[in-house]
């Protein structure tokens, strides 16, 4: 299940900043990276099964292994884990409402934490002229 309208998709920031904010919100990247990508996971064990909230990121520049990348976030997803096959994200999966609500809350908190560091570009030429004056 992909989460729509989180305003996280395509957000770009320094790798260290993203890692710190994700960790603060319970999303870990324990070995789920290569030199161009990272996956931040939060595991949920419920009576309905084991689920993972995942936020994927890829490097716009730099090297993830050297911790000097600039990452762009992708659309967050919730998947159900099936032993021994792995995590399924399919549309035919049923996700508990309480879990979807909790994931929405986590993603909103991540967005708020990241917003504190986002610098918006001027939206029009007149605003830019005012800044340069």
């Amino acid at each position: 299940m992909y989460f729509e309208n989180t305003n996280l998709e395509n957000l770009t920031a320094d790798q260290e900043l993203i890692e710190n904010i994700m960790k603060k919100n319970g999303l870990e990247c324990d070995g789920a990276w290569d030199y161009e990508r990272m996956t931040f996971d939060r595991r949920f064990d419920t009576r309905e099964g084991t689920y993972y909230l995942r936020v994927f990121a890829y490097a716009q520049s730099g090297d993830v292994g050297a911790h000097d990348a600039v990452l762009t976030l992708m659309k967050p997803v919730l998947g159900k884990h099936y032993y021994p096959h792995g995590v399924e994200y399919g549309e035919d999966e049923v996700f508990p409402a309480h879990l979807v609500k909790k994931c929405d809350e986590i993603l909103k908190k991540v967005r708020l934490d990241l917003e504190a560091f986002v610098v918006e570009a001027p939206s029009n030429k007149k605003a830019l002229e005012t800044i340069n004056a």
Side-chain angles (χ1 to χ4, degrees), residues 21 102 118 129:
I21 288 174
K102 178 69 175 172
V118 172
E129 289 170 357

Side-chain angles (χ1 to χ4, degrees), residues 27-39:
L27 290 142
E28 300 281 338
C29 183
D30 294 327
W33 65 272
D34 63 21
Y35 295 99
E36 297 174 348
R37 295 174 293 213
M38 295 184 81
T39 302

